[in-house]
Amino acid sequence: MSLFPTEMESERLRYERLHPDEFDAYELYEYVHAGAPGIDEITKYVTWDPHQHPKEASDWVEHCGEQFEDGAAATYALRPTEGDRADELAGFAGIHPDWDRRLAVFGAWLRKPFWGRGYSGERAARMLELAFDRLDLEVVTVAHDPANEKSRRAIEKYVERFGGQKEGRIRNDIIIDDEPRDSIRYSISRSEWERNRD
């Protein structure tokens, strides 16, 4: 039995584990290579750069598969289950547990055509259920670059919905374009989530 589920669903999204047994790395490369539509806006505030060649995408899929098998982390490809872009790759969601601290860090990004549809909050709700119900963790954290207004609005909306809180600014927490940057961090505890999950 795997620690993480290989597939999940929420109201409008399907979650498929990013693993070389199931995921075509070239599909990833098509959307995240240098020059892909919208890639500069997507990567402006994240800690990874556009992939320069298909092998780079393949290596990342392999790495995510190894993390999944080891119980270190799970990364899921997100695909809408309805609408004009059903089954298209919308983006990715990750959960990175720190088992000793009973805490998980969330990460996610969406392709530009899928911005503004409420998928970030829907994904967060499903991943909180995974973190607290299945993995028995106690706290989930998420952070964004201070200049990333779209992420700030999306994160604050679901953190407020589930009773979480803004932790504050973490100095020199992330590296973007080889430069240290601050991040703004939020957390949701299991008890806060349980009080606000419905």
Side-chain angles (χ1 to χ4, degrees):
M1 183 182 92
S2 176
L3 183 62
F4 304 105
T6 56
E7 288 188 347
M8 302 185 295
E9 287 192 2
S10 57
E11 183 181 351
R12 299 172 298 153
L13 293 171
R14 187 172 69 252
Y15 306 69
E16 303 167 354
R17 72 173 176 164
L18 193 62
H19 193 285
D21 288 351
E22 289 107 13
F23 192 85
D24 180 1
Y26 198 81
E27 180 184 14
L28 170 66
Y29 177 71
E30 285 181 311
Y31 295 118
V32 302
H33 71 273
I39 193 63
D40 291 337
E41 287 181 83
I42 292 168
T43 57
K44 185 174 181 178
Y45 301 113
V46 298
T47 57
W48 54 273
D49 296 319
H51 293 176
Q52 300 302 312
H53 44 74
K55 176 72 165 66
E56 193 173 348
S58 179
D59 288 347
W60 191 62
V61 173
E62 187 74 34
H63 172 70
C64 290
E66 290 170 2
Q67 287 187 314
F68 189 96
E69 296 296 340
D70 293 343
T75 302
Y76 294 95
L78 305 177
R79 298 183 190 276
T81 56
E82 58 187 40
D84 60 331
R85 291 182 175 267
D87 298 321
E88 190 175 333
L89 179 65
F92 293 90
I95 181 169
H96 303 268
D98 181 330
W99 299 107
D100 291 336
R101 293 192 294 158
R102 307 228 15 219
L103 173 147
V105 177
F106 281 180
W109 63 268
L110 294 168
R111 292 179 45 232
K112 191 173 178 182
F114 300 92
W115 292 359
R117 298 183 181 209
Y119 289 150
S120 179
E122 180 175 335
R123 176 262 334 162
R126 184 64 185 91
M127 297 296 276
L128 286 164
E129 185 178 345
L130 169 62
F132 296 133
D133 276 352
R134 180 169 175 137
L135 302 180
D136 196 31
L137 297 170
E138 294 178 359
V139 176
V140 163
T141 69
V142 62
H144 66 83
D145 183 296
N148 190 342
E149 280 298 306
K150 287 182 175 61
S151 285
R152 179 191 63 78
R153 287 192 302 269
I155 290 169
E156 287 183 351
K157 188 173 182 178
Y158 69 74
V159 167
E160 181 179 339
R161 173 184 168 197
F162 291 109
Q165 65 184 23
K166 181 178 179 179
E167 302 272 339
R169 183 179 290 257
I170 312 297
R171 296 178 182 171
N172 284 16
D173 185 45
I174 55 177
I175 303 291
I176 296 179
D177 294 330
D178 297 321
E179 290 294 324
R181 301 278 295 269
D182 295 352
S183 73
I184 306 298
R185 182 173 131 154
Y186 305 78
S187 66
I188 303 170
S189 71
R190 186 212 305 259
S191 60
E192 290 164 343
W193 173 76
E194 286 175 344
R195 286 194 302 269
N196 296 280
R197 66 184 299 182
D198 294 324

